[in-house]
Amino acid sequence: MIQFSNVSKRYANGFDALKDISLHIAKAEMVFLTGHSGAGKSTLLKMIPLIERPSAGSITIDERPLVRVKRRKIPALRRDIGVIFQDSKLLNERTVFDNVALPLLVSGAHHPREVGRRVRAALDKVGLLQRENDFPVYLSGGERQRVGIARAVVNRPKVLIADEPTGNLDPALSREIMLLFEQFNQVGVTVLIASHDLELIGAMDKRIMVLSKGRLLADQGGLGGA
Ligand code: ADP
């Protein structure tokens, strides 16, 4: 489903963040990306929703080369890719409901009743239906991250990308968040998670790709491990 072929990334300052990366992630696979800070994990993730573009090589999603995605089609591509960050990046002056509704309102294509239905379905999946009218400051770190996940899945994306989603959480909450990702994966969502927490990702028994200084050092386990 996601194919990187000889992808390199040189930032404007001349720094080579990714060097000749080739990998394939199958549909409905769940994969971890690990490596030290600065290894290039975020850079690799950012290529998928076209936040960054490769300097060399090519990326395809569902056989479609990203280089051919026209600027006006980028929002549609991003609706198919849910993105979750370490800090859930919620709007503090908006309720949980409004935060989760945001991607639907931005795309503007939905009747208010449909927005309500989809937001509540997403909140239900992360176990926070009863908190829809609360403001983020009244939530715990784990709950905030679950709201971030609800917001990422409200457009029913085919792919979920998470960059250190448990970076601010204790081990028990981190494990809960990973199990939540696994639930989305079990219903067919392709999941790619960057994490430096080897203990946590080792316990998940999935494919693990290791980046070091911009190179793919190892790729093991799971369905499509090459
Ligand atoms: P990781 O997520 O594994 O910590 P990153 O992808 O964030 O790694 O960063 C990889 C390297 O690229 C780091 O050395 C970082 O400083 C550098 N880098 C990241 N973004 C930029 C940028 N916009 N311009 C220049 N260098 C960058």
Side-chain angles (χ1 to χ4, degrees), residues 111-149:
H111 189 277
R113 217 172 24 234
E114 175 68 4
V115 171
R117 213 175 56 74
R118 286 199 184 205
V119 168
R120 293 195 180 96
L123 284 173
D124 191 28
K125 283 180 194 146
V126 302
L128 285 178
L129 200 47
Q130 71 288 7
R131 308 302 296 270
E132 64 172 291
N133 294 318
D134 284 343
F135 287 87
V137 285
Y138 297 115
L139 304 180
S140 69
E143 287 168 338
R144 275 201 295 277
Q145 193 53 297
R146 285 194 274 151
V147 175
I149 295 172

Side-chain angles (χ1 to χ4, degrees), residues 166-188:
T166 62
N168 293 331
L169 303 178
D170 67 39
L173 283 176
S174 299
R175 174 101 181 130
E176 263 181 39
I177 293 291
M178 288 302 176
L179 294 176
L180 192 53
F181 281 117
E182 193 172 36
Q183 282 174 25
F184 286 108
N185 175 244
Q186 280 162 353
V187 295

